[in-house]
Coordinates of all heavy atoms in Angstrom, one line a residue:
M1 N 91.2 -111.9 -28.0 CA 90.1 -111.3 -27.4 C 89.3 -110.5 -28.5 O 89.9 -109.7 -29.2 CB 90.6 -110.3 -26.4 CG 89.5 -109.9 -25.4 SD 90.1 -108.8 -24.1 CE 90.9 -109.9 -23.1
E2 N 88.1 -110.8 -28.6 CA 87.2 -110.2 -29.7 C 86.1 -109.4 -29.1 O 85.4 -109.8 -28.2 CB 86.7 -111.3 -30.6 CG 85.9 -110.8 -31.7 CD 85.4 -112.0 -32.6 OE1 86.1 -113.0 -32.7 OE2 84.3 -111.9 -33.1
K3 N 86.0 -108.2 -29.6 CA 84.9 -107.3 -29.1 C 83.9 -107.1 -30.2 O 84.2 -106.7 -31.3 CB 85.5 -105.9 -28.6 CG 86.4 -106.0 -27.5 CD 86.8 -104.7 -27.0 CE 87.7 -104.8 -25.8 NZ 88.2 -103.5 -25.4
N4 N 82.6 -107.3 -29.9 CA 81.6 -107.1 -30.8 C 80.7 -105.9 -30.4 O 80.4 -105.8 -29.2 CB 80.7 -108.3 -30.9 CG 81.5 -109.5 -31.5 OD1 82.3 -109.3 -32.4 ND2 81.2 -110.7 -31.1
L5 N 80.3 -105.1 -31.3 CA 79.4 -104.0 -31.1 C 78.1 -104.3 -31.7 O 78.0 -104.6 -32.9 CB 80.0 -102.7 -31.6 CG 79.2 -101.5 -31.5 CD1 79.1 -101.1 -30.0 CD2 79.8 -100.3 -32.2
I6 N 77.1 -104.3 -30.8 CA 75.7 -104.6 -31.3 C 74.9 -103.3 -31.4 O 74.8 -102.6 -30.4 CB 75.0 -105.6 -30.4 CG1 75.8 -106.9 -30.3 CG2 73.6 -105.9 -30.8 CD1 75.4 -107.9 -29.3
L7 N 74.4 -103.1 -32.5 CA 73.6 -101.9 -32.8 C 72.1 -102.3 -32.7 O 71.6 -102.9 -33.7 CB 73.9 -101.2 -34.1 CG 73.2 -99.9 -34.4 CD1 73.6 -98.8 -33.5 CD2 73.6 -99.5 -35.8
N8 N 71.4 -102.0 -31.6 CA 70.0 -102.3 -31.6 C 69.2 -101.2 -32.1 O 69.7 -100.1 -32.4 CB 69.7 -102.8 -30.1 CG 69.9 -101.7 -29.1 OD1 70.1 -100.5 -29.5 ND2 69.9 -102.0 -27.9
A9 N 67.9 -101.4 -32.1 CA 67.0 -100.4 -32.6 C 67.0 -99.1 -31.8 O 66.9 -98.0 -32.3 CB 65.6 -100.9 -32.7
Q10 N 67.1 -99.2 -30.5 CA 67.1 -98.0 -29.6 C 68.3 -97.2 -29.9 O 68.3 -96.0 -29.9 CB 67.0 -98.5 -28.2 CG 66.9 -97.3 -27.2 CD 66.8 -97.8 -25.8 OE1 67.0 -99.0 -25.5 NE2 66.4 -96.9 -24.9
T11 N 69.5 -97.8 -30.0 CA 70.7 -97.1 -30.2 C 70.7 -96.4 -31.6 O 71.1 -95.3 -31.8 CB 71.9 -98.1 -30.1 OG1 71.9 -98.7 -28.9 CG2 73.2 -97.3 -30.2
A12 N 70.2 -97.1 -32.6 CA 70.1 -96.6 -33.9 C 69.2 -95.4 -33.9 O 69.5 -94.3 -34.6 CB 69.6 -97.6 -34.9
T13 N 68.1 -95.4 -33.2 CA 67.1 -94.3 -33.1 C 67.8 -93.1 -32.5 O 67.7 -92.0 -32.9 CB 65.9 -94.7 -32.4 OG1 65.3 -95.8 -33.0 CG2 64.9 -93.5 -32.3
W14 N 68.6 -93.4 -31.4 CA 69.2 -92.3 -30.7 C 70.3 -91.6 -31.6 O 70.4 -90.4 -31.6 CB 69.9 -92.9 -29.4 CG 70.6 -91.8 -28.6 CD1 70.1 -90.9 -27.8 CD2 72.0 -91.6 -28.7 NE1 71.1 -90.1 -27.3 CE2 72.3 -90.5 -27.8 CE3 73.1 -92.1 -29.4 CZ2 73.5 -89.9 -27.6 CZ3 74.3 -91.6 -29.2 CH2 74.5 -90.5 -28.3
L15 N 71.1 -92.4 -32.3 CA 72.1 -91.9 -33.2 C 71.4 -91.0 -34.3 O 71.9 -90.0 -34.7 CB 72.9 -93.0 -33.8 CG 73.9 -93.7 -32.9 CD1 74.5 -94.9 -33.6 CD2 75.0 -92.7 -32.5
L16 N 70.3 -91.5 -34.8 CA 69.6 -90.7 -35.9 C 69.1 -89.4 -35.3 O 69.2 -88.4 -36.0 CB 68.4 -91.5 -36.4 CG 67.7 -90.9 -37.6 CD1 68.6 -90.7 -38.8 CD2 66.5 -91.8 -38.0
Q17 N 68.6 -89.4 -34.1 CA 68.1 -88.2 -33.5 C 69.3 -87.2 -33.2 O 69.1 -86.0 -33.4 CB 67.3 -88.5 -32.2 CG 66.0 -89.1 -32.4 CD 65.3 -89.5 -31.1 OE1 66.0 -89.5 -30.1 NE2 64.1 -89.9 -31.2
A18 N 70.4 -87.7 -32.8 CA 71.5 -86.9 -32.5 C 72.0 -86.3 -33.8 O 72.4 -85.1 -33.8 CB 72.7 -87.7 -31.9
R19 N 72.0 -87.0 -34.9 CA 72.5 -86.5 -36.2 C 71.5 -85.4 -36.6 O 71.9 -84.3 -37.1 CB 72.5 -87.6 -37.2 CG 73.0 -87.1 -38.5 CD 73.2 -88.3 -39.5 NE 73.7 -87.8 -40.7 CZ 73.0 -87.7 -41.8 NH1 71.7 -88.0 -41.8 NH2 73.5 -87.2 -43.0
E20 N 70.2 -85.6 -36.5 CA 69.2 -84.6 -36.9 C 69.3 -83.3 -36.0 O 69.2 -82.2 -36.5 CB 67.8 -85.2 -36.8 CG 67.5 -86.2 -37.9 CD 66.2 -86.9 -37.7 OE1 65.5 -86.6 -36.7 OE2 65.8 -87.7 -38.5
T21 N 69.6 -83.5 -34.7 CA 69.8 -82.3 -33.9 C 71.0 -81.6 -34.3 O 71.0 -80.3 -34.3 CB 69.9 -82.8 -32.4 OG1 68.7 -83.6 -32.1 CG2 70.0 -81.6 -31.5
S22 N 72.1 -82.3 -34.6 CA 73.3 -81.6 -35.0 C 73.1 -80.8 -36.3 O 73.5 -79.7 -36.4 CB 74.4 -82.6 -35.2 OG 75.6 -82.0 -35.7
L23 N 72.4 -81.4 -37.3 CA 72.1 -80.7 -38.5 C 71.2 -79.5 -38.3 O 71.4 -78.4 -38.9 CB 71.5 -81.7 -39.5 CG 72.4 -82.7 -40.1 CD1 71.6 -83.7 -41.0 CD2 73.5 -82.1 -40.9
S24 N 70.2 -79.7 -37.4 CA 69.3 -78.5 -37.0 C 70.1 -77.4 -36.4 O 69.9 -76.2 -36.8 CB 68.3 -79.0 -36.1 OG 67.5 -77.9 -35.6
I25 N 71.0 -77.7 -35.5 CA 71.8 -76.6 -34.9 C 72.7 -76.0 -36.0 O 72.9 -74.7 -36.0 CB 72.7 -77.2 -33.8 CG1 71.8 -77.6 -32.6 CG2 73.7 -76.2 -33.3 CD1 72.4 -78.4 -31.5
T26 N 73.3 -76.7 -36.9 CA 74.2 -76.2 -37.9 C 73.4 -75.3 -38.8 O 73.8 -74.2 -39.2 CB 74.8 -77.3 -38.7 OG1 75.5 -78.2 -37.9 CG2 75.7 -76.8 -39.8
H27 N 72.2 -75.7 -39.2 CA 71.3 -74.8 -40.0 C 70.9 -73.6 -39.3 O 70.9 -72.5 -40.0 CB 70.1 -75.6 -40.5 CG 70.3 -76.7 -41.5 ND1 70.9 -76.4 -42.7 CD2 70.2 -78.0 -41.5 CE1 71.0 -77.5 -43.4 NE2 70.6 -78.5 -42.7
K28 N 70.6 -73.6 -38.0 CA 70.3 -72.4 -37.3 C 71.5 -71.5 -37.2 O 71.3 -70.3 -37.4 CB 69.8 -72.8 -35.9 CG 68.4 -73.4 -35.9 CD 68.0 -73.8 -34.5 CE 66.6 -74.5 -34.5 NZ 66.2 -74.9 -33.1
L29 N 72.7 -72.0 -36.9 CA 73.8 -71.2 -36.9 C 74.1 -70.5 -38.2 O 74.5 -69.3 -38.3 CB 75.1 -72.0 -36.4 CG 75.1 -72.4 -34.9 CD1 76.2 -73.3 -34.6 CD2 75.1 -71.1 -34.0
Y30 N 74.0 -71.3 -39.3 CA 74.2 -70.7 -40.6 C 73.2 -69.6 -40.9 O 73.5 -68.5 -41.4 CB 74.0 -71.8 -41.7 CG 74.2 -71.3 -43.1 CD1 75.4 -70.9 -43.6 CD2 73.1 -71.1 -43.9 CE1 75.6 -70.4 -44.9 CE2 73.2 -70.6 -45.2 CZ 74.5 -70.3 -45.7 OH 74.6 -69.8 -46.9
A31 N 71.9 -69.8 -40.5 CA 70.9 -68.7 -40.7 C 71.2 -67.5 -39.9 O 71.1 -66.4 -40.4 CB 69.5 -69.3 -40.3
I32 N 71.7 -67.6 -38.7 CA 72.1 -66.5 -37.8 C 73.2 -65.8 -38.5 O 73.3 -64.5 -38.5 CB 72.4 -66.9 -36.4 CG1 71.1 -67.4 -35.7 CG2 73.1 -65.8 -35.6 CD1 71.3 -68.1 -34.4
M33 N 74.2 -66.5 -38.9 CA 75.4 -65.9 -39.5 C 75.0 -65.1 -40.8 O 75.4 -64.0 -41.0 CB 76.5 -66.9 -39.9 CG 77.7 -66.3 -40.4 SD 78.9 -67.5 -41.0 CE 78.3 -68.0 -42.6
K34 N 74.2 -65.7 -41.6 CA 73.7 -65.1 -42.9 C 72.9 -63.8 -42.6 O 73.1 -62.8 -43.2 CB 72.9 -66.1 -43.7 CG 72.6 -65.6 -45.1 CD 71.9 -66.7 -45.9 CE 71.6 -66.2 -47.3 NZ 70.9 -67.2 -48.0
K35 N 72.1 -63.9 -41.5 CA 71.3 -62.8 -41.1 C 72.1 -61.6 -40.6 O 71.9 -60.5 -40.8 CB 70.3 -63.2 -40.1 CG 69.2 -62.2 -39.7 CD 68.3 -62.8 -38.7 CE 67.2 -61.8 -38.3 NZ 66.3 -62.4 -37.3
T36 N 73.2 -62.0 -39.9 CA 74.1 -61.0 -39.4 C 75.0 -60.3 -40.5 O 75.2 -59.1 -40.5 CB 75.0 -61.6 -38.3 OG1 74.2 -62.2 -37.3 CG2 75.9 -60.6 -37.7
L37 N 75.4 -61.1 -41.5 CA 76.3 -60.6 -42.5 C 75.6 -59.9 -43.6 O 76.2 -59.1 -44.4 CB 77.1 -61.8 -43.1 CG 78.2 -62.4 -42.2 CD1 78.9 -63.5 -42.9 CD2 79.2 -61.3 -41.8
T38 N 74.3 -60.1 -43.8 CA 73.6 -59.4 -44.9 C 73.7 -57.9 -44.8 O 74.0 -57.3 -45.8 CB 72.1 -59.9 -44.9 OG1 72.1 -61.3 -45.1 CG2 71.4 -59.3 -46.0
P39 N 73.4 -57.3 -43.6 CA 73.6 -55.8 -43.6 C 75.0 -55.3 -43.9 O 75.2 -54.3 -44.6 CB 73.1 -55.4 -42.2 CG 72.4 -56.6 -41.7 CD 72.9 -57.8 -42.4
L40 N 76.0 -56.1 -43.4 CA 77.4 -55.7 -43.7 C 77.7 -55.9 -45.2 O 78.4 -55.0 -45.8 CB 78.3 -56.6 -42.9 CG 78.7 -56.1 -41.5 CD1 79.5 -57.2 -40.8 CD2 79.3 -54.8 -41.5
R41 N 77.2 -56.9 -45.8 CA 77.4 -57.1 -47.2 C 76.8 -56.0 -48.0 O 77.4 -55.5 -49.0 CB 76.8 -58.5 -47.6 CG 77.0 -58.8 -49.1 CD 76.4 -60.2 -49.5 NE 74.9 -60.1 -49.2 CZ 74.0 -59.5 -50.1 NH1 74.5 -58.9 -51.2 NH2 72.8 -59.6 -49.8
K42 N 75.6 -55.6 -47.6 CA 74.9 -54.5 -48.3 C 75.7 -53.2 -48.1 O 75.8 -52.4 -49.1 CB 73.5 -54.3 -47.8 CG 72.6 -55.5 -48.3 CD 71.2 -55.3 -47.8 CE 70.3 -56.5 -48.2 NZ 68.9 -56.3 -47.7
Y43 N 76.2 -53.0 -46.9 CA 77.0 -51.8 -46.7 C 78.2 -51.7 -47.5 O 78.6 -50.7 -48.2 CB 77.3 -51.7 -45.2 CG 78.3 -50.6 -44.9 CD1 77.9 -49.2 -44.9 CD2 79.6 -50.8 -44.6 CE1 78.8 -48.2 -44.7 CE2 80.5 -49.8 -44.4 CZ 80.1 -48.5 -44.4 OH 81.0 -47.5 -44.1
Y44 N 79.0 -52.8 -47.5 CA 80.2 -52.9 -48.4 C 79.9 -52.8 -49.8 O 80.6 -52.2 -50.6 CB 81.0 -54.2 -48.1 CG 81.6 -54.3 -46.8 CD1 81.7 -55.5 -46.0 CD2 82.2 -53.2 -46.2 CE1 82.3 -55.6 -44.8 CE2 82.9 -53.3 -45.0 CZ 82.9 -54.4 -44.3 OH 83.5 -54.5 -43.1
S45 N 78.8 -53.3 -50.3 CA 78.4 -53.2 -51.7 C 78.1 -51.7 -52.0 O 78.4 -51.3 -53.1 CB 77.1 -54.0 -52.0 OG 77.4 -55.4 -51.9
A46 N 77.5 -51.0 -51.1 CA 77.2 -49.6 -51.3 C 78.5 -48.8 -51.4 O 78.6 -47.9 -52.2 CB 76.2 -49.1 -50.3
V47 N 79.4 -49.1 -50.5 CA 80.7 -48.3 -50.4 C 81.5 -48.6 -51.7 O 82.1 -47.7 -52.3 CB 81.4 -48.7 -49.1 CG1 82.9 -48.2 -49.2 CG2 80.7 -48.2 -47.9
L48 N 81.6 -49.9 -52.1 CA 82.4 -50.3 -53.2 C 81.6 -50.0 -54.6 O 82.2 -50.1 -55.6 CB 82.8 -51.7 -53.2 CG 83.7 -52.1 -52.0 CD1 83.9 -53.6 -51.9 CD2 85.0 -51.4 -52.2
E49 N 80.3 -49.7 -54.5 CA 79.5 -49.5 -55.7 C 79.4 -50.6 -56.6 O 79.4 -50.5 -57.8 CB 80.0 -48.2 -56.4 CG 79.9 -46.9 -55.5 CD 80.4 -45.7 -56.2 OE1 81.1 -45.8 -57.3 OE2 80.1 -44.6 -55.7
R50 N 79.5 -51.8 -56.1 CA 79.3 -53.0 -56.9 C 78.9 -54.2 -55.9 O 79.2 -54.1 -54.7 CB 80.5 -53.4 -57.7 CG 81.7 -53.8 -56.9 CD 82.9 -53.9 -57.8 NE 84.0 -54.5 -57.0 CZ 84.3 -55.7 -56.9 NH1 83.6 -56.6 -57.5 NH2 85.4 -56.1 -56.2
P51 N 78.2 -55.2 -56.4 CA 77.7 -56.2 -55.5 C 78.9 -57.1 -55.1 O 79.8 -57.4 -55.9 CB 76.7 -57.0 -56.4 CG 77.1 -56.7 -57.8 CD 77.7 -55.3 -57.8
I52 N 78.9 -57.5 -53.8 CA 79.9 -58.5 -53.3 C 79.1 -59.6 -52.6 O 78.0 -59.5 -52.2 CB 80.9 -57.8 -52.4 CG1 80.2 -57.3 -51.1 CG2 81.7 -56.7 -53.1 CD1 81.2 -56.8 -50.1
D53 N 79.8 -60.7 -52.5 CA 79.1 -61.9 -51.9 C 79.6 -62.0 -50.4 O 80.4 -61.2 -49.9 CB 79.4 -63.2 -52.7 CG 80.9 -63.5 -52.8 OD1 81.7 -62.8 -52.2 OD2 81.2 -64.5 -53.5
V54 N 79.1 -63.1 -49.8 CA 79.4 -63.3 -48.4 C 80.9 -63.6 -48.1 O 81.5 -63.1 -47.2 CB 78.5 -64.4 -47.8 CG1 78.9 -64.7 -46.3 CG2 77.1 -64.0 -47.9
R55 N 81.5 -64.3 -49.0 CA 82.9 -64.6 -48.9 C 83.8 -63.4 -48.9 O 84.7 -63.2 -48.1 CB 83.4 -65.6 -50.0 CG 84.8 -66.1 -49.8 CD 85.2 -67.1 -50.9 NE 86.5 -67.7 -50.6 CZ 87.6 -67.1 -50.9 NH1 87.6 -65.9 -51.4 NH2 88.8 -67.7 -50.6
Q56 N 83.5 -62.5 -49.8 CA 84.2 -61.2 -49.9 C 84.0 -60.4 -48.7 O 84.9 -59.7 -48.2 CB 83.8 -60.5 -51.2 CG 84.3 -61.2 -52.5 CD 83.6 -60.6 -53.7 OE1 82.5 -60.1 -53.7 NE2 84.3 -60.8 -54.8
T57 N 82.8 -60.4 -48.2 CA 82.5 -59.7 -46.9 C 83.3 -60.2 -45.8 O 83.9 -59.5 -45.0 CB 81.0 -59.8 -46.6 OG1 80.2 -59.4 -47.6 CG2 80.6 -59.1 -45.3
L58 N 83.5 -61.5 -45.7 CA 84.3 -62.1 -44.6 C 85.8 -61.8 -44.8 O 86.5 -61.5 -43.8 CB 84.1 -63.7 -44.6 CG 82.7 -64.1 -44.1 CD1 82.6 -65.6 -44.3 CD2 82.5 -63.8 -42.7
L59 N 86.2 -61.7 -46.1 CA 87.6 -61.3 -46.3 C 87.8 -59.8 -45.9 O 88.9 -59.5 -45.3 CB 87.9 -61.4 -47.8 CG 88.1 -62.9 -48.3 CD1 88.3 -62.9 -49.8 CD2 89.3 -63.5 -47.6
L60 N 86.9 -58.9 -46.1 CA 87.0 -57.5 -45.7 C 87.0 -57.4 -44.2 O 87.8 -56.7 -43.6 CB 85.9 -56.7 -46.3 CG 86.0 -56.5 -47.8 CD1 84.7 -55.9 -48.3 CD2 87.1 -55.5 -48.1
I61 N 86.2 -58.2 -43.5 CA 86.1 -58.2 -42.1 C 87.5 -58.7 -41.5 O 88.0 -58.1 -40.5 CB 84.9 -59.1 -41.5 CG1 83.6 -58.4 -41.9 CG2 85.1 -59.3 -40.0 CD1 82.4 -59.3 -41.6
Q62 N 88.0 -59.7 -42.1 CA 89.3 -60.3 -41.7 C 90.4 -59.2 -41.8 O 91.2 -59.1 -40.9 CB 89.7 -61.5 -42.5 CG 91.0 -62.1 -42.1 CD 91.4 -63.2 -43.0 OE1 90.7 -63.6 -43.9 NE2 92.6 -63.7 -42.9
A63 N 90.4 -58.5 -42.9 CA 91.4 -57.4 -43.1 C 91.2 -56.3 -42.1 O 92.2 -55.8 -41.5 CB 91.3 -56.8 -44.5
Q64 N 90.0 -56.0 -41.7 CA 89.8 -55.0 -40.7 C 90.3 -55.4 -39.3 O 90.9 -54.7 -38.6 CB 88.3 -54.6 -40.7 CG 87.9 -53.8 -41.9 CD 86.4 -53.5 -41.9 OE1 85.6 -54.1 -41.2 NE2 86.0 -52.5 -42.7
V65 N 90.0 -56.7 -39.0 CA 90.4 -57.2 -37.7 C 91.9 -57.2 -37.6 O 92.5 -56.9 -36.6 CB 89.8 -58.6 -37.4 CG1 90.4 -59.3 -36.2 CG2 88.3 -58.4 -37.2
A66 N 92.5 -57.7 -38.7 CA 94.0 -57.7 -38.7 C 94.6 -56.3 -38.6 O 95.6 -56.2 -37.9 CB 94.5 -58.4 -40.0
F67 N 94.0 -55.3 -39.2 CA 94.5 -54.0 -39.1 C 94.4 -53.5 -37.7 O 95.3 -52.9 -37.1 CB 93.8 -53.0 -40.0 CG 94.1 -51.6 -39.8 CD1 95.3 -51.1 -40.3 CD2 93.3 -50.7 -39.1 CE1 95.7 -49.8 -40.1 CE2 93.6 -49.4 -38.9 CZ 94.8 -48.9 -39.4
V68 N 93.3 -53.7 -37.0 CA 93.1 -53.3 -35.7 C 94.1 -53.9 -34.7 O 94.7 -53.2 -33.9 CB 91.6 -53.6 -35.2 CG1 91.5 -53.4 -33.7 CG2 90.6 -52.7 -35.9
L69 N 94.3 -55.2 -34.9 CA 95.3 -55.9 -34.0 C 96.7 -55.4 -34.3 O 97.5 -55.4 -33.4 CB 95.2 -57.4 -34.2 CG 93.9 -58.0 -33.7 CD1 93.8 -59.5 -34.0 CD2 93.8 -57.8 -32.2
A70 N 97.0 -55.0 -35.5 CA 98.4 -54.6 -35.9 C 98.7 -53.2 -35.5 O 99.8 -52.8 -35.2 CB 98.7 -54.9 -37.3
A71 N 97.7 -52.3 -35.7 CA 97.9 -50.9 -35.6 C 97.6 -50.3 -34.3 O 98.3 -49.4 -33.8 CB 97.1 -50.2 -36.7
L72 N 96.5 -50.7 -33.6 CA 96.2 -50.0 -32.4 C 97.1 -50.4 -31.3 O 97.6 -51.6 -31.2 CB 94.7 -50.4 -32.0 CG 93.7 -49.9 -32.9 CD1 92.3 -50.2 -32.4 CD2 93.7 -48.4 -33.0
P73 N 97.4 -49.5 -30.4 CA 98.4 -49.7 -29.3 C 97.8 -50.7 -28.3 O 96.7 -50.7 -27.9 CB 98.6 -48.4 -28.6 CG 97.5 -47.5 -29.1 CD 97.0 -48.1 -30.4
A74 N 98.6 -51.7 -27.9 CA 98.3 -52.7 -26.9 C 99.5 -53.2 -26.3 O 100.6 -53.1 -26.8 CB 97.5 -53.8 -27.6
E75 N 99.4 -53.7 -25.1 CA 100.5 -54.3 -24.4 C 100.7 -55.8 -25.0 O 100.1 -56.7 -24.5 CB 100.2 -54.4 -22.9 CG 100.1 -53.0 -22.3 CD 101.5 -52.3 -22.2 OE1 102.5 -53.0 -22.0 OE2 101.5 -51.1 -22.3
C76 N 101.5 -55.9 -26.0 CA 101.8 -57.2 -26.5 C 103.3 -57.2 -27.0 O 103.8 -56.2 -27.4 CB 100.8 -57.6 -27.6 SG 101.0 -56.7 -29.1
P77 N 103.9 -58.4 -27.1 CA 105.2 -58.5 -27.5 C 105.4 -58.0 -29.0 O 104.5 -58.1 -29.8 CB 105.6 -60.0 -27.4 CG 104.5 -60.5 -26.5 CD 103.3 -59.7 -26.6
L78 N 106.6 -57.6 -29.3 CA 106.9 -57.1 -30.6 C 106.7 -58.2 -31.7 O 106.3 -57.9 -32.8 CB 108.3 -56.5 -30.6 CG 108.7 -55.8 -31.9 CD1 107.8 -54.6 -32.2 CD2 110.2 -55.3 -31.8
L79 N 107.1 -59.4 -31.3 CA 106.9 -60.5 -32.3 C 105.5 -60.8 -32.6 O 105.1 -61.0 -33.8 CB 107.6 -61.8 -31.7 CG 107.7 -63.0 -32.6 CD1 108.5 -62.7 -33.8 CD2 108.3 -64.2 -31.8
L80 N 104.6 -60.7 -31.6 CA 103.2 -60.8 -31.9 C 102.6 -59.7 -32.7 O 101.9 -59.9 -33.7 CB 102.4 -60.9 -30.5 CG 100.9 -61.2 -30.6 CD1 100.7 -62.6 -31.3 CD2 100.3 -61.2 -29.2
R81 N 103.1 -58.5 -32.5 CA 102.7 -57.4 -33.3 C 103.2 -57.5 -34.7 O 102.4 -57.2 -35.7 CB 103.2 -56.0 -32.7 CG 102.6 -54.9 -33.4 CD 102.8 -53.6 -32.7 NE 102.2 -53.6 -31.4 CZ 101.0 -53.0 -31.1 NH1 100.3 -52.5 -32.1 NH2 100.6 -53.0 -29.9
A82 N 104.4 -58.1 -34.9 CA 104.9 -58.3 -36.3 C 104.0 -59.4 -37.0 O 103.8 -59.3 -38.2 CB 106.3 -58.8 -36.2
A83 N 103.6 -60.4 -36.2 CA 102.8 -61.5 -36.8 C 101.4 -60.9 -37.2 O 100.9 -61.2 -38.3 CB 102.5 -62.6 -35.8
F84 N 100.9 -60.0 -36.4 CA 99.6 -59.3 -36.8 C 99.8 -58.4 -38.1 O 98.9 -58.4 -38.9 CB 99.1 -58.4 -35.7 CG 98.5 -59.2 -34.5 CD1 98.6 -58.7 -33.2 CD2 97.9 -60.4 -34.7 CE1 98.1 -59.4 -32.1 CE2 97.3 -61.1 -33.6 CZ 97.5 -60.6 -32.3
A85 N 101.0 -57.8 -38.2 CA 101.2 -57.0 -39.3 C 101.4 -57.8 -40.6 O 100.9 -57.5 -41.7 CB 102.5 -56.1 -39.1
L86 N 102.0 -59.0 -40.5 CA 102.1 -59.9 -41.6 C 100.7 -60.5 -42.0 O 100.4 -60.6 -43.2 CB 103.0 -61.1 -41.2 CG 104.5 -60.8 -41.2 CD1 105.3 -62.0 -40.7 CD2 105.0 -60.4 -42.6
W87 N 99.9 -60.7 -41.0 CA 98.5 -61.2 -41.2 C 97.7 -60.1 -42.0 O 97.0 -60.4 -42.9 CB 97.8 -61.6 -39.9 CG 96.4 -62.0 -40.0 CD1 95.9 -62.8 -41.1 CD2 95.4 -61.8 -39.1 NE1 94.5 -63.0 -40.8 CE2 94.2 -62.4 -39.6 CE3 95.3 -61.2 -37.9 CZ2 93.0 -62.4 -39.0 CZ3 94.1 -61.2 -37.2 CH2 93.0 -61.8 -37.8
F88 N 97.9 -58.9 -41.5 CA 97.2 -57.8 -42.2 C 97.7 -57.6 -43.7 O 96.9 -57.5 -44.6 CB 97.5 -56.4 -41.5 CG 97.0 -55.2 -42.2 CD1 95.6 -55.1 -42.4 CD2 97.8 -54.3 -42.7 CE1 95.1 -54.0 -43.1 CE2 97.3 -53.2 -43.3 CZ 96.0 -53.0 -43.5
G89 N 99.0 -57.7 -43.9 CA 99.5 -57.7 -45.3 C 98.9 -58.8 -46.1 O 98.5 -58.6 -47.3
W90 N 98.9 -60.0 -45.6 CA 98.4 -61.1 -46.3 C 96.9 -61.0 -46.6 O 96.5 -61.3 -47.7 CB 98.6 -62.4 -45.5 CG 98.1 -63.6 -46.2 CD1 98.6 -64.4 -47.2 CD2 96.8 -64.2 -45.9 NE1 97.8 -65.4 -47.5 CE2 96.7 -65.3 -46.7 CE3 95.8 -64.0 -44.9 CZ2 95.6 -66.2 -46.7 CZ3 94.7 -64.8 -44.9 CH2 94.6 -65.9 -45.8
S91 N 96.1 -60.5 -45.6 CA 94.7 -60.4 -45.8 C 94.4 -59.3 -46.8 O 93.4 -59.4 -47.6 CB 94.0 -60.1 -44.5 OG 94.4 -58.9 -43.9
V92 N 95.2 -58.2 -46.9 CA 95.0 -57.1 -47.9 C 95.3 -57.7 -49.3 O 94.5 -57.4 -50.2 CB 95.8 -55.9 -47.6 CG1 95.9 -54.9 -48.7 CG2 95.3 -55.2 -46.3
R93 N 96.3 -58.5 -49.4 CA 96.7 -59.1 -50.7 C 95.6 -60.0 -51.2 O 95.2 -60.0 -52.3 CB 98.0 -59.9 -50.5 CG 98.4 -60.5 -51.8 CD 99.8 -61.1 -51.6 NE 100.1 -62.0 -52.7 CZ 100.4 -63.3 -52.6 NH1 100.4 -63.9 -51.5 NH2 100.6 -64.0 -53.7
V94 N 95.0 -60.8 -50.3 CA 93.9 -61.7 -50.6 C 92.7 -61.0 -51.0 O 92.0 -61.3 -52.0 CB 93.6 -62.7 -49.5 CG1 92.4 -63.5 -49.8 CG2 94.8 -63.7 -49.3
C95 N 92.4 -59.9 -50.3 CA 91.2 -59.0 -50.6 C 91.4 -58.4 -52.0 O 90.5 -58.4 -52.8 CB 91.1 -57.9 -49.6 SG 90.1 -58.4 -48.1
K96 N 92.6 -58.0 -52.3 CA 92.9 -57.4 -53.6 C 92.7 -58.4 -54.7 O 92.1 -58.0 -55.8 CB 94.3 -56.9 -53.6 CG 94.6 -55.6 -54.3 CD 96.0 -55.2 -54.1 CE 96.3 -53.9 -54.6 NZ 97.7 -53.5 -54.5
Q97 N 93.1 -59.6 -54.5 CA 92.9 -60.6 -55.5 C 91.4 -61.0 -55.7 O 91.0 -61.2 -56.8 CB 93.7 -61.9 -55.2 CG 95.2 -61.7 -55.3 CD 95.9 -62.9 -54.7 OE1 95.3 -63.8 -54.2 NE2 97.2 -62.9 -54.9
Q98 N 90.7 -61.1 -54.6 CA 89.3 -61.6 -54.7 C 88.3 -60.5 -55.1 O 87.2 -60.8 -55.5 CB 88.9 -62.2 -53.3 CG 89.7 -63.4 -53.0 CD 89.5 -64.5 -53.9 OE1 88.4 -64.8 -54.4 NE2 90.6 -65.3 -54.2
L99 N 88.7 -59.2 -54.8 CA 87.7 -58.1 -55.1 C 88.1 -57.6 -56.5 O 87.6 -57.0 -57.2 CB 87.8 -57.1 -54.0 CG 87.2 -57.5 -52.7 CD1 87.4 -56.4 -51.7 CD2 85.8 -57.9 -52.7

């Protein structure tokens, strides 16, 4: 039993439009993320008194989120809290290496 797939002009046009739409959405999301992270990056640069890039900003945000999940009281199992504490330690170590 043999199956053949025929790509006609209409299907090719539809696939091209879907790809362009996907790229457009990706570019818009990237622009929104960059617009959101720019003030944070500038703030962290002012606090650290040296310029930092977007990747370093994301690492600092990750460390802060890990700290909040590990330190603040919440109703969660002890094993999960230990995992958050390990994540916090790992993220602080990575921040130290990258900054």
Side-chain angles (χ1 to χ4, degrees):
M1 197 178 282
E2 185 177 323
K3 294 184 180 181
N4 294 325
L5 179 65
I6 299 173
L7 183 66
N8 59 15
Q10 185 180 11
T11 307
T13 304
W14 180 81
L15 287 173
L16 185 62
Q17 288 174 349
R19 183 172 181 259
E20 289 173 358
T21 303
S22 175
L23 288 175
S24 173
I25 291 171
T26 304
H27 288 300
K28 286 179 184 177
L29 288 175
Y30 178 74
I32 290 170
M33 184 184 80
K34 190 174 179 182
K35 188 176 180 181
T36 304
L37 288 178
T38 300
L40 274 175
R41 184 183 58 79
K42 289 179 182 178
Y43 171 74
Y44 289 142
S45 293
V47 169
L48 295 173
E49 298 177 346
R50 66 187 186 95
I52 62 170
D53 60 2
V54 175
R55 184 176 188 282
Q56 292 169 332
T57 303
L58 290 172
L59 288 172
L60 288 169
I61 292 170
Q62 177 185 356
Q64 289 176 341
V65 169
F67 173 76
V68 167
L69 291 175
L72 293 182
E75 295 288 328
C76 67
L78 187 60
L79 186 61
L80 186 60
R81 189 166 298 264
F84 288 147
L86 288 173
W87 179 34
F88 173 64
W90 177 81
S91 61
V92 167
R93 182 173 167 239
V94 170
C95 277
K96 221 176 186 182
Q97 291 173 352
Q98 298 295 322
L99 295 175

